[in-house]
Amino acid sequence: MSSPTSIPSGWINGKPHHSAGADHIVVNPATDRPVATVKLAGRGDVDAAIASARAAQPAWGRATPAERAGVLLALARALAAQSEVLVAEEVAHTGKPIRLATEFDVPGSIDNIEFFAGVARNLEGKASAEYSGDHTSSIRREPAGVVGTITPWNYPLQMAVWKVIPALAAGCAVVLKPAEITPLTTLTMARVATEAGLPDGVLNIVVGTGPDAGAHLAGHPGVDMVTFTGSSAVGRQVMAQAATTGARVQLELGGKAPFVVFDDADLQAAIHGAVAASIINGGQDCTAATRAIVAPTLYDEFVDGVADLMSRVVIGDPTDPATDLGSLISRRHREKVAGMVERARAAGARVVTGGTVPDGRGAFYPPTLVADVTEDSEIYREEVFGPVLTVSHFAGDDDAIRRANDTPYGLAASAWTRDVYRAQRASREIHAGCVWINDHIPIISEMPHGGYGASGFGKDMSTYSLDEYLLIKHVMSDIHGVAEKEWHRTVFAPEGRSV
């Protein structure tokens, strides 16, 4: 077997960057075989990347919106031409099904870049207004500066795009630290961006660990803003590190999405939606359906229908277009998922289907349905991050809403009903950044994505995301040229004094 490809430790100032750090092997989790080797970037590499970004940001920030938009459009076209490469890389280092990468991850990322290329040309502030008799006010929207971005392993390309592209559209420069276990597509994106005309230093990559490179980036005085997608626990650490410098922060963190099925729901639609939304990306998705909360009159039929459909999910080779469910990210992560299921079983929950670790290569785990869970159980309350759906029933509409909100998380939720009043109530009273009605995980570039509570704050995607990377400046100008203003008299009395 040939040796794995050696890849750069990052991309700094428009060129591949090679660190002197420790060797790290990028593994295909579906085959347990090495894909690439990389020398991990450390604190010195992060320093170099930030210096590059700080040198490049002023000129990029002064570029016209049309100039920035032109570069982003060129990047979108160049990435589209590299789609097959990006899909192959995404599948190789995550183990996700090729159909997901081909139909969702890569085209969704390109669409997001095209969207922000358009948004980049709409950065105007408020027009002048006279709020006092002697002055005219105007509002400027200016780049936040250098943005340190830390992205996760579950959607390596898409999460990088969600963070990097609005920052670039706003005129910021970026230092991105991807997860060291899935760095391939972000390195490709940086190379293609340079080839597409992005000025050197505007986008920099450092492939290092979270405790070393990530922590140094989050707490670096040369970083004006920190954005992070990942677990709630690590998000709190990132926020604490950023607080040491006063950098602004945007966080998209964990989730425990409720999937509320009322008694008038289209049951078959809910069953299909629950299976698709619980196994997407192996369930390794913060917005995945994890807690089905079902009307008692539909409970048994829902459980039977979900179990039957899960039994027909095609598990296997991620490179096969027929595969529905590929590998989890690692054997270690699979142990965590399996352990939570086993503890639920031991506590009295009913594992209706799945729940067994298969033999053979890779980190595969079957779709798993755990019924009759209690509200205080670990599997009901904690993020599993695997293809596991729990089911419990509610006593009435008030109880359904209460159960949906009985979590510290607030990223996403869905409600299934044909009653417009129930739908409106659910959308109003479920405490989450996104509430879907009769669907789960429809995501488009024009709509914001972000959570409440332990799921973080701030938005990805949409024009709301752009606001995260812009500073608001108020400019107030004297319009009469009067040396002595009326308000001066409230501070001192200048009459009779010589100038």
Side-chain angles (χ1 to χ4, degrees), residues 320-332:
D320 185 343
T323 294
D324 300 317
L325 180 62
S327 169
L328 299 188
I329 191 63
S330 68
R331 286 174 174 260
R332 179 179 178 183

Side-chain angles (χ1 to χ4, degrees), residues 255-275:
K256 193 68 178 173
F259 187 99
V260 183
V261 183
F262 291 97
D263 58 12
D264 66 327
D266 181 331
L267 183 59
Q268 290 305 310
I271 288 169
H272 281 79
V275 175

Side-chain angles (χ1 to χ4, degrees), residues 344-357:
R345 193 197 312 261
R350 179 163 54 106
V351 180
V352 182
T353 188
T356 58
V357 176

Side-chain angles (χ1 to χ4, degrees), residues 467-485:
D467 290 339
E468 304 288 340
Y469 302 93
L470 290 166
L471 304 176
I472 305 302
K473 177 184 286 184
H474 171 220
V475 179
M476 199 167 190
S477 304
D478 172 24
I479 60 175
H480 293 307
V482 178
E484 182 182 319
K485 309 297 190 297

Side-chain angles (χ1 to χ4, degrees), residues 12 112 126 147 223 230 251 313 403:
I12 298 178
N112 206 244
K126 289 184 178 180
V147 179
V223 169
L251 303 174
V313 169
R403 284 172 176 261

Side-chain angles (χ1 to χ4, degrees), residues 207-238:
V207 180
T209 67
D212 186 15
H216 190 52
L217 178 63
H220 199 289
V223 169
D224 302 296
M225 177 180 177
V226 179
T227 64
F228 172 79
T229 295
S231 72
S232 297
V234 177
R236 288 189 288 270
Q237 294 175 17
V238 168

Side-chain angles (χ1 to χ4, degrees), residues 100-122:
L100 183 65
T102 302
E103 298 179 9
F104 181 68
D105 291 27
V106 173
S109 298
I110 293 168
D111 179 75
N112 206 244
I113 298 170
E114 292 173 341
F115 171 78
F116 279 107
V119 173
R121 301 190 71 165
N122 189 31

